[in-house]
Amino acid sequence: MSFETSCNNGTAPEYHNLMKLDFSKMKFVYIHQLWMEICDYFFEGILGNAVWGTKPKYTADLLNPSVALRSFKRTKMSIKMVEPLLLFPVCYRSPQHIRLKLNALTVSNHFTREQMKKMEGDFTDWMQWFNKCNIDFRGLVVQSWDERKLNDGLNAAGEPPSLSLNIQWPVGPTASLVKPKWNVDGRVDPILFCLSRKDYSLFLFFLY
């Protein structure tokens, strides 16, 4: 893990901080409540607003986007996991679960700017920053709790299917002025599932 702070004080750099996380082969168990607490502690208790940008206290300057953006800092991240194994249990102590084996999982982001049009009231035209996050699941193999393979098929590269998510949202003090907030684009290779009755019931449990 590394966290670097840029000394670049130039005009509107893409990012001010760079965070890198590299994981070796590991196993992760997803329990919704526990992971929400871990994420909340990591982003709020350790890094605070530094990941998505410093959020200043409300002042009259926030009515002037050009002034508000001067204190806005951006953090770029790069997360890489080699052959992670993700387990999704039915409940905390349940032996029934779905296993997702991946060749690699990567999460990265970059920032872009876009000129926004004038709005009603005291606002004028302003430059809005957007955080664009990309999540790639490469070489996806789905298994049941007894390690039976539940999916089949290869992509054009002769590898197991891959999944890619691209998520964009506005950041900074003026983010609330942008509607709609979220822009999500996904791409998944064709996947053929071979499910028994109990496997199908387990899938329905997670979907509903």
Side-chain angles (χ1 to χ4, degrees), residues 64-66 115-119 122-127:
N64 185 343
S66 63
Q115 185 71 32
M116 307 303 292
K117 296 181 180 179
K118 182 177 180 179
M119 301 180 62
D122 297 329
F123 293 101
T124 59
D125 293 352
W126 79 95
M127 189 67 69

Side-chain angles (χ1 to χ4, degrees), residues 3-103:
F3 189 86
E4 305 173 6
T5 300
S6 174
C7 297
N8 185 0
N9 296 321
T11 304
E14 180 192 349
Y15 61 91
H16 303 84
N17 305 308
L18 176 62
M19 181 179 67
K20 294 181 180 180
L21 292 173
D22 291 329
F23 294 88
S24 57
K25 189 175 181 179
M26 299 179 68
K27 181 187 296 184
F28 300 89
V29 179
Y30 179 84
I31 299 175
H32 184 74
Q33 181 179 357
L34 178 60
W35 274 104
M36 292 300 99
E37 293 176 357
I38 292 176
C39 290
D40 182 68
Y41 175 75
F42 180 76
F43 288 107
E44 297 297 333
I46 298 178
L47 297 177
N49 290 316
V51 175
W52 311 122
T54 301
K55 182 179 180 181
K57 295 181 180 180
Y58 179 83
T59 64
D61 287 340
L62 288 182
L63 296 178
N64 185 343
S66 63
V67 175
L69 288 177
R70 292 176 186 173
S71 60
F72 171 51
K73 295 185 180 297
R74 295 165 293 281
T75 298
K76 188 173 183 178
M77 63 181 176
S78 175
I79 302 175
K80 299 179 181 179
M81 298 182 182
V82 179
E83 296 184 10
L85 175 60
L86 311 179
L87 305 182
F88 296 85
V90 173
C91 59
Y92 183 68
R93 295 190 176 185
S94 173
Q96 286 79 26
H97 62 270
I98 292 178
R99 303 162 60 95
L100 299 183
K101 296 180 65 177
L102 299 167
N103 291 339

Side-chain angles (χ1 to χ4, degrees), residues 133-163:
C133 182
N134 177 259
I135 306 175
D136 281 322
F137 301 83
R138 294 200 296 271
L140 175 63
V141 176
V142 183
Q143 296 178 324
S144 65
W145 62 90
D146 54 4
E147 299 190 19
R148 288 180 294 106
K149 189 176 180 181
L150 303 181
N151 70 308
D152 200 1
L154 302 176
N155 58 22
E159 300 176 347
S162 295
L163 169 66

